[in-house]
């Protein structure tokens, strides 16, 4: 009888465990900042020297997190580039931010070229790859967001190839340009009187499959990754004041997401459910 009850309890726990895991992304991102020391067309790689990793201390959760850049215990970090456009954008001594999945380096899914020096160096003029994963703000108080639309006939697990991308350019808090882009198409805006402009090209991408018939409710899997090329011509006399606000960083997608991703609540939910199950099982055995 005890064995039957134990099996039932395990089955119930597995069911609750599955329900607690949302569909979507479960692979953590590493955000790195450094100086470009090498750009290799032959190896398809970009190397950062003196790399620093961004992270936040959330403490007890009752106050705002403390976020900072922490030097890594390595002099350089290398990863493959997300798009060959990187070779015409980045050069030695450029300041850059790079994002990789599942660890530091190896494969960069996104790159940002930082502008100039001083306070303005916290802003990007160019972004390549999965721009929604980058924490950097664009210079000139611009922002680019995009939402990929899945091709439901080309899905694997939680990801599909993207048929289109709905791209949006904002200036301050105002939407100034918006367009649905097919792979290879671009959206351009130069409607301000400060000689600045923004160009967004959707190269190709992925989208979550949860909106496709038969794919809703799938769990786990790597978050969709897309490839964009963004270039901003800075406003005349660009400086910290011209950008409007102090840049803020985030470990995951910012206010300009490329795809909708749901970060898994796996660690906390799993521990809670497992702890509950153990407590119930122990109590049951004591009663018997």
């Amino acid at each position: 009888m005890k064995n039957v009850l134990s099996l039932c309890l395990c089955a119930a726990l597995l069911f609750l465990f599955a329900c607690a895991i949302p569909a979507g992304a479960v692979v953590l991102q590493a955000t790195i900042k450094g100086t470009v020391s090498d750009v290799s067309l032959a190896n398809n790689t970009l190397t950062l020297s003196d790399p620093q990793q961004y992270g936040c201390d959330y403490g007890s959760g009752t106050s705002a997190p403390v976020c900072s850049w922490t030097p890594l215990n390595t002099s350089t970090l290398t990863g493959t580039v997300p798009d060959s456009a990187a070779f015409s954008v980045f050069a030695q001594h450029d300041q850059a931010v790079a994002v990789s999945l599942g660890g530091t380096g190896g494969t960069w899914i996104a790159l940002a070229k930082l502008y100039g020096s001083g306070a303005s160096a916290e802003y990007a003029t160019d972004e390549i790859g999965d721009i929604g994963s980058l924490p950097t703000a664009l210079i000139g108080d611009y922002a680019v967001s995009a939402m990929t639309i899945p091709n439901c006939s080309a899905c694997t697990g939680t990801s599909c190839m993207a048929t289109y991308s709905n791209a949006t350019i904002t200036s301050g808090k105002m939407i100034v340009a918006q367009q649905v882009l097919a792979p290879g198409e671009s959206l351009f805006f130069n409607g301000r009187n400060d000689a600045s402009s923004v160009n967004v090209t959707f190269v190709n991408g992925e989208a979550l499959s949860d909106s496709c018939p038969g794919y809703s409710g799938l769990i786990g899997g790597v978050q969709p990754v897309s490839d964009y090329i963004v270039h901003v011509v800075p406003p005349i006399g660009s400086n910290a004041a011209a950008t409007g606000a102090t840049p803020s960083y985030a470990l995951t997608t910012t206010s300009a997401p490329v795809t909708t991703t749901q970060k898994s609540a796996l660690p906390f939910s799993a521990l809670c459910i497992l702890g509950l199950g153990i407590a119930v099982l122990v109590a049951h055995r004591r009663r018997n």
Side-chain angles (χ1 to χ4, degrees), residues 110 127-134 144 146 200 226 228-230 254 256 258:
E127 294 182 342
I128 296 174
D130 193 64
I131 59 175
S133 63
L134 285 164
V144 172
V200 184
S226 297
Y228 294 81
I229 301 171
V230 175
T254 64
V258 172

Side-chain angles (χ1 to χ4, degrees), residues 54-59 63-68:
Y54 190 75
C56 295
D57 182 1
Y58 293 90
S63 58
V66 178
C67 302
S68 61

Side-chain angles (χ1 to χ4, degrees), residues 35 39 52-53 63 65 79-80 95 97 111 113 120 124 136 138 142 153 183 194 213 218 238 256 282 286:
T35 302
V39 183
Q52 304 173 63
Q53 183 169 359
S63 58
T80 56
Q95 298 299 304
V97 172
L111 297 168
K113 179 180 177 179
S120 292
T136 47
L138 292 172
Y142 283 113
S153 64
D194 56 6
L218 290 178
S238 290
V282 169
R286 284 179 177 176

Side-chain angles (χ1 to χ4, degrees), residues 11-39:
L13 289 175
L14 287 173
F15 176 78
L16 291 173
F17 183 76
C19 293
I21 306 175
V26 294
V27 179
L28 296 179
Q29 296 171 180
T31 303
I32 310 296
K33 181 169 70 172
T35 302
V36 177
S37 59
D38 183 66
V39 183

Side-chain angles (χ1 to χ4, degrees), residues 13-216:
L13 289 175
L14 287 173
F15 176 78
L16 291 173
F17 183 76
C19 293
I21 306 175
V26 294
V27 179
L28 296 179
Q29 296 171 180
T31 303
I32 310 296
K33 181 169 70 172
T35 302
V36 177
S37 59
D38 183 66
V39 183
S40 174
L41 179 62
N43 295 321
N44 196 44
T45 57
L46 181 144
T47 300
L48 297 177
S49 62
D50 302 319
Q52 304 173 63
Q53 183 169 359
Y54 190 75
C56 295
D57 182 1
Y58 293 90
S60 62
T62 58
S63 58
V66 178
C67 302
S68 61
W69 295 98
T70 303
L72 293 174
N73 189 27
T74 181
S75 59
T76 61
L77 205 58
T78 300
T80 56
V81 301
D83 192 284
S84 60
F87 299 118
S88 61
V89 170
F90 292 91
Q92 284 186 335
H93 310 303
D94 285 340
Q95 298 299 304
V97 172
V99 179
S100 56
L101 290 180
T104 55
T107 301
W108 303 126
I109 64 166
L111 297 168
K113 179 180 177 179
L114 301 181
Y115 176 81
S117 60
S120 292
E122 296 298 324
Y123 296 88
T125 58
D126 296 86
E127 294 182 342
I128 296 174
D130 193 64
I131 59 175
S133 63
L134 285 164
T136 47
L138 292 172
I139 197 166
D141 205 18
Y142 283 113
V144 172
S145 63
M147 181 72 70
T148 47
I149 302 167
N151 176 357
C152 293
S153 64
C155 299
T156 302
T158 56
S159 294
C160 307
M161 294 302 295
T163 304
Y164 299 102
S165 176
N166 186 11
T168 301
I169 298 172
T170 59
S171 173
K173 296 182 179 180
M174 180 182 298
I175 295 176
V176 293
Q178 191 171 43
Q179 184 176 330
V180 174
L181 304 175
E185 293 183 339
S186 299
L187 173 61
F188 179 76
F189 171 78
N190 66 345
R192 294 189 344 194
N193 61 359
D194 56 6
S196 66
S197 65
V198 182
N199 190 78
V200 184
T201 300
F202 174 48
V203 180
N204 54 57
E206 300 173 333
L208 283 176
S209 61
D210 57 0
S211 63
C212 294
Y215 284 90
S216 61

